[in-house]
Amino acid sequence: MMEKNYTVQELGKILSDMYENADLNRQSTSIHLFGIMYAPYIINNGYTPKQIINHSTLKDSYYTEVNKGINIYKCISSGKYDIQLVLGQTENKEIKQNTVATTYQTVELFDFITNPFSHRYLTSLLAKPFVILAGNSGTGKTCIARNLAAWLERKDAMGRANHLLVPVGADWTDNTKLLGYFNPLANDGAGHYVKTEILRFLEDAGANPHIPFFLILDEMNLSRVERYFSDFLSIMETVSYGEGSPDVFLELDGYPGGKLLFPKNLFITGTVNVDETTYMFSPKVLDRANVIEFKPEAADVLGNFISDSAAQAIEPAEAGMAESFLALAQTIRGSSRLVEGVKIEEVERILRAVYEAVQDTDFAFAFRTTKEMRHYVNAAYAIEPTASIVSVLDQQVLQKILPKIHGNRSQLKDLLEKLSQVCQTFGLKESEVKIDFMQKRLRNSQFASFM
């Protein structure tokens, strides 16, 4: 219950004070917090963010920042988030300190990484816990994964961190490199389960369910992914994130208890190079991931000759950031509805056109893809409430549809022409550029693929 009311003039003064008293580089965040804290008064009185800005000392353009805070309040108060937001008097309610503030800061402040792909990487992780970063060696794939993990770092009493980087070897022909194996000859014939570093990491993740754990598989396609990673590919499809959803387990012969809890707080990033030493991905793998291709601009590459832009020490984020990141991800994945404010008619027109272009080929998509696209849209709008739905769907065509397309001229010529026309019609600019590249490759070598 609200204890008092505020005039629009009073709210403008409060906003000015919060902004002027904010720490350096936290002024935008102070506006978001104002929107969260005073949203009930703004909504109940029918005030608009522009009216409040007009009665403050802030620039007119800052009304969008107030609106972001109000949207966060609406999300939190909807009950979909595991967050209790208390304004005014309370009745024995426990407040989760810092969570309200840090939920939005987590996605807002990741721009400290200068890599232009950071926004799409973060959105992809929020939407689904498996992301593939593809590109030539030295383009920053591993760097961005390490940086995010280091920024959201948490350590236990033993000094073990919530992130692990493991180089994949060419000898990974089964799951024993990931999950270990039972040695029946150990302990004088009593047997012993040999644990890998990754398995211990999974155990730590299971024991700390409110903290995100980041597993980075470097050069993931040095071995055939579907061989050593098949258990993960299958079980990820059975995990649900709604409130009260059941736990899922990996069945391991000889492991104590016979099964290992698959942690819902696990985020897996695979970095891949495409050359003569690596393997192509199967449709089963590509269908279960967002694929982000790293192709830095020439100016960035040449500029690195003068100044090493990648050399930076990453300090862990403020307390509560990591937990808020995980809470946001699980909320997004647990939702079965599209975020409010998105014009469903526009989404249907674009996806229907893409679907009709690929439906009679080997690259058609189905329920899993559309579900994960919905999660991606929700994640994108959690990061930026004023995002363009066309731009967001463009990213999903680029990351979910095009990576599976490969073949010779007779297979792809008409398909790529149809997809190119769809992109031109709806303004899917990034996908259009990639399709144009694939068409050029098809003309030159009679074969084309995404990577």
Side-chain angles (χ1 to χ4, degrees):
M1 180 181 297
M2 294 183 292
E3 294 178 308
K4 63 163 290 182
N5 203 354
Y6 292 92
T7 66
V8 70
Q9 292 84 359
E10 288 173 328
L11 289 173
K13 177 65 166 57
I14 293 170
L15 174 59
S16 297
D17 291 343
M18 289 182 65
Y19 182 85
E20 292 170 3
N21 293 327
D23 294 336
L24 187 64
N25 297 326
R26 291 290 185 273
Q27 292 176 314
S28 292
T29 301
S30 72
I31 303 177
H32 303 152
L33 289 176
F34 168 84
I36 296 171
M37 294 168 61
Y38 293 93
Y41 309 102
I42 297 170
I43 295 170
N44 289 344
N45 287 292
Y47 301 146
T48 68
K50 284 188 176 181
Q51 289 175 324
I52 296 169
I53 290 293
N54 289 339
H55 290 280
S56 73
T57 58
L58 277 65
K59 296 179 181 178
D60 292 345
S61 59
Y62 281 175
Y63 83 90
T64 59
E65 306 305 317
V66 175
N67 200 49
K68 289 178 183 178
I70 296 172
N71 285 334
I72 295 171
Y73 167 82
K74 290 178 179 178
C75 289
I76 296 171
S77 60
S78 69
K80 297 178 183 178
Y81 289 75
D82 184 21
I83 300 170
Q84 293 181 9
L85 178 61
V86 182
L87 297 173
Q89 296 179 349
T90 66
E91 297 180 1
N92 298 323
K93 291 185 178 179
E94 177 184 356
I95 302 175
K96 295 189 175 183
Q97 297 292 337
N98 299 323
T99 306
V100 172
T102 58
T103 295
Y104 190 76
Q105 289 178 17
T106 298
V107 294
E108 182 199 35
L109 298 180
F110 187 52
D111 61 4
F112 74 94
I113 293 179
T114 57
N115 193 307
F117 299 96
S118 60
H119 187 278
R120 281 164 51 191
Y121 176 53
L122 185 61
T123 307
S124 298
L125 280 177
L126 289 171
K128 187 168 185 178
F130 179 35
V131 179
I132 294 173
L133 306 181
N136 293 331
S137 180
T139 52
K141 305 182 300 295
T142 306
C143 180
I144 190 174
R146 282 201 314 254
N147 282 352
L148 177 62
W151 189 53
L152 297 179
E153 179 180 276
R154 295 292 299 276
K155 290 185 177 180
D156 62 15
M158 303 295 291
R160 293 176 301 197
N162 61 329
H163 52 88
L164 178 65
L165 172 65
V166 180
V168 172
D171 60 340
W172 288 32
T173 57
D174 57 33
N175 68 358
T176 58
K177 300 294 183 180
L178 285 172
L179 299 173
Y181 61 93
F182 181 72
N183 180 0
L185 303 179
N187 293 336
D188 296 326
H192 171 69
Y193 197 89
V194 180
K195 296 183 179 181
T196 63
E197 188 178 18
I198 293 175
L199 188 140
R200 293 191 181 93
F201 184 74
L202 297 179
E203 291 176 332
D204 286 344
N208 298 274
H210 300 299
I211 300 172
F213 277 68
F214 300 93
L215 174 61
I216 305 167
L217 299 176
D218 203 26
E219 299 195 54
M220 191 178 193
N221 60 335
L222 272 178
S223 289
R224 293 191 182 278
V225 176
E226 57 272 17
R227 290 183 179 175
Y228 69 85
F229 201 62
S230 59
D231 295 297
F232 286 79
L233 293 174
S234 297
I235 201 167
M236 279 191 292
E237 300 309 306
T238 67
V239 176
S240 57
Y241 296 92
E243 185 176 352
S245 58
D247 291 331
V248 295
F249 297 86
L250 287 162
E251 303 291 336
L252 300 177
D253 291 339
Y255 181 78
K259 56 185 181 181
L260 170 71
L261 175 68
F262 185 82
K264 296 181 182 182
N265 53 333
L266 179 66
F267 297 80
I268 302 174
T269 299
T271 69
V272 304
N273 299 323
V274 180
D275 55 38
E276 65 278 359
T277 68
T278 60
Y279 295 94
M280 291 297 294
F281 286 102
S282 69
K284 178 180 180 180
V285 177
L286 295 173
D287 201 41
R288 287 164 169 79
N290 267 282
V291 180
I292 303 176
E293 184 182 26
F294 279 57
K295 296 188 72 172
E297 299 292 335
D300 295 329
V301 175
L302 297 177
N304 198 60
F305 178 79
I306 301 173
S307 176
D308 187 0
S309 60
Q312 54 179 316
I314 304 299
E315 295 294 331
E318 300 172 8
M321 284 284 194
E323 293 86 345
S324 296
F325 175 84
L326 175 61
L328 181 58
Q330 294 184 340
T331 298
I332 288 168
R333 297 176 205 156
S335 174
S336 59
R337 294 180 295 178
L338 195 62
V339 66
E340 293 182 7
V342 174
K343 295 181 179 179
I344 188 63
E345 298 84 2
E346 188 171 13
V347 174
E348 289 179 339
R349 283 197 302 271
I350 295 175
L351 292 187
R352 182 178 296 278
V354 175
Y355 182 82
E356 291 176 351
V358 302
Q359 65 178 337
D360 295 326
T361 72
D362 295 333
F363 314 110
F365 59 90
F367 302 109
R368 179 191 296 117
T369 299
T370 53
K371 172 185 173 183
E372 293 178 4
M373 283 183 169
R374 183 182 70 236
H375 291 168
Y376 189 92
V377 170
N378 289 348
Y381 276 81
I383 295 175
E384 179 49 71
T386 60
S388 162
I389 188 59
V390 173
S391 177
V392 174
L393 291 178
D394 186 11
Q395 293 169 17
Q396 279 300 269
V397 171
L398 184 65
Q399 295 172 196
K400 294 290 293 180
I401 306 299
L402 298 185
K404 294 187 290 185
I405 296 177
H406 67 280
N408 57 39
R409 185 177 179 82
S410 63
Q411 294 172 299
L412 300 188
K413 183 177 182 296
D414 292 342
L415 170 60
L416 292 179
E417 288 177 356
K418 289 179 182 178
L419 285 173
S420 180
Q421 184 59 51
V422 170
C423 292
Q424 293 173 27
T425 301
F426 293 100
L428 309 181
K429 296 180 180 179
E430 290 191 70
S431 298
E432 184 182 354
V433 170
K434 184 62 182 182
I435 291 170
D436 182 62
F437 173 81
M438 295 172 70
Q439 288 177 314
K440 290 178 181 177
R441 177 179 287 179
L442 192 65
R443 288 193 295 267
N444 293 335
S445 61
Q446 306 302 306
F447 182 88
S449 64
F450 181 84
M451 293 182 281

